[in-house]
Amino acid sequence: MEEQLAVDPQQDLSRKARQQVPGPVISDRSDDRTGTVNIWSGRRLGPRPEPGPKKDKVRQPSQYRCHPATDTGRTRGSEGQVPQFCLFFAKGMCYQGYLCTYLHRLPTLADNEAMTRNTSQDIFGRQKLPDHLDNRKGAGSYDRDMTTLYVNYGGAGHYATPQLRHLLLDNFGQFGPIRTIYIVPAKTIAFVKYHWRASAEFGKEAMDGQTLTGSTMQEVCGPQ
């Protein structure tokens, strides 16, 4: 049974997009001690960190989050009919608001259909790679039509499956219609399948490093 119908998300595009942060943001992590993360590609720049205590390897949640209910709106990009979405907007980190030259909204069915004519880029305009070069952190592979996200939900494993399904649906479903959610409780992983590839690409970036809203645990999601 489908979790949600394949319909365009409701969003107010009559208003100007707001600034999500007051100024430029370098990193979305509060404890970025091991070099700068290239938000565009997902790769970390600089030397590899020295091995340390296990507690130092615990992933910290992002300081920012995209809230479609308040963040979506028109931009100079939408008025100029630019097709690419703003990656910083998806991560809740765009300081330009209405002045941004990219889209500050959620993908629709029309966006997904347009993507089928260009499989070399993702919705943010990043070049895709062949499977053997895909590190799952950037634009993904052009060899696969990705609609499913692999999610490690960590500390949320204490929830019963129906509760966890509700949490995943509420958190990932705000970025696009979800077809199915398959949960593997023994491994604290789940597979969230969207109706559209455009939604999956947006949801992957929007939920990367986020905690599950509504959960009492501070688990950090790492969708791939």
Side-chain angles (χ1 to χ4, degrees), residues 52-58:
K54 188 174 181 180
K55 65 178 182 179
D56 292 339
K57 298 180 181 179
V58 176

Side-chain angles (χ1 to χ4, degrees), residues 123-164:
I123 62 171
F124 305 106
R126 299 178 298 183
Q127 290 296 127
K128 288 180 172 289
L129 300 171
D131 256 347
H132 69 283
L133 295 178
D134 177 24
N135 70 344
R136 296 187 179 182
K137 288 295 184 182
S141 168
Y142 55 64
D143 293 324
R144 289 175 285 115
D145 189 18
M146 181 197 75
T147 59
T148 302
L149 300 183
Y150 161 85
V151 182
N152 187 330
Y153 52 84
H158 71 287
Y159 286 110
T161 298
Q163 292 175 293
L164 183 57

